[in-house]
């Protein structure tokens, strides 16, 4: 005999929604926790539940790391030089280290500096030379068609994981 459930207690979960359902997903460590170290983030990134998932979807999963919204997803991958279609297992040790450092540094800088994820000195310089906030605030997010701050190539907008993401095709190569 099965247990009886009230129909109102039962939600139909699609395969897509299960990982993010609040009663199922366990929250990952919060990137604003200053006690969290890049080594711990790197270890988590390379662990079995996460290492074969695309960074694009991994970064939107609060069960992986907490506190990363869509613009931080773009910015962390840009700073780490990682294409969002890549998986942790596809990356070099240097890329994983760069990712882990950026996954902590960018949310923490953004929290303390009014949402600015760009290099702070560069952002100040750009502001003084007449750039508007939307053009100096981020490295790549929202900057499609504009030159990459690092290499001058054109920033592209792509849809991945159902959300918009911005990449530099030169700084974030697939291969
Ligand atoms: Zn670039």
């Amino acid at each position: 005999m099965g247990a009886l459930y009230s129909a109102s207690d039962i939600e139909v979960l699609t395969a897509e929604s299960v990982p993010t359902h609040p009663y199922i997903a366990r929250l990952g460590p919060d990137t604003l926790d200053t006690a969290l170290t890049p080594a711990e983030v790197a270890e988590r990134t390379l662990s079995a539940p996460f290492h074969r998932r695309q960074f694009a979807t991994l970064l939107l999963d609060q069960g992986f790391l907490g506190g990363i919204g869509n613009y931080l997803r773009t910015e962390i991958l840009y700073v780490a030089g990682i294409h969002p279609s890549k998986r942790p297992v596809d990356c070099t040790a240097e890329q994983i280290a760069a990712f882990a450092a950026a996954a902590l540094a960018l949310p923490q800088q953004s929290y303390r500096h009014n949402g600015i994820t760009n290099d702070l000195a560069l952002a100040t310089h750009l502001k003084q030379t007449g750039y508007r906030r939307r053009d100096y605030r981020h490295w790549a997010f929202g900057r499609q068609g504009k030159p990459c701050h690092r290499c001058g190539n054109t920033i592209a907008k792509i849809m991945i994981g159902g959300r918009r993401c911005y990449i530099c095709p030169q700084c974030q190569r697939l291969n």
Side-chain angles (χ1 to χ4, degrees), residues 78 147-155 167-172:
Y78 171 90
C148 170
H149 289 309
R150 285 179 165 169
C151 77
N153 257 271
T154 304
I155 299 291
I167 61 166
C168 170
Q170 179 68 26
C171 295
Q172 295 164 270

Side-chain angles (χ1 to χ4, degrees), residues 39-161:
E40 289 170 328
V41 173
E43 184 181 350
R44 185 170 182 80
T45 305
L46 292 172
S47 68
F50 306 116
H51 69 162
R52 293 192 182 281
R53 294 176 55 189
Q54 282 190 332
F55 274 106
T57 46
L58 195 53
L59 282 172
L60 295 177
D61 180 355
Q62 298 295 308
F64 172 54
L65 291 173
I68 297 177
N70 197 38
Y71 78 89
L72 282 166
R73 172 179 78 150
T74 282
E75 296 291 284
I76 289 166
L77 292 175
Y78 171 90
V79 166
I82 296 172
H83 191 284
S85 291
K86 282 198 167 186
R87 307 169 302 169
V89 288
D90 303 324
C91 292
T92 63
E94 289 75 17
Q95 285 177 311
I96 294 295
F99 166 76
L104 294 177
L106 268 67
Q108 291 174 18
Q109 175 185 304
S110 179
Y111 181 73
R112 290 195 307 268
H113 295 277
N114 195 24
I116 295 176
T117 52
N118 204 345
D119 177 81
L120 291 173
L122 176 60
T124 299
H125 171 74
L126 293 172
K127 186 177 181 180
Q128 287 167 349
T129 51
Y131 280 69
R132 287 178 292 186
R133 177 173 164 83
R134 69 179 186 207
D135 291 322
Y136 69 72
R137 180 181 171 192
H138 299 307
W139 285 108
F141 191 81
R143 298 192 62 246
Q144 76 274 15
K146 306 272 175 59
C148 170
H149 289 309
R150 285 179 165 169
C151 77
N153 257 271
T154 304
I155 299 291
K157 176 183 177 180
I158 61 174
M159 292 299 291
I160 187 160

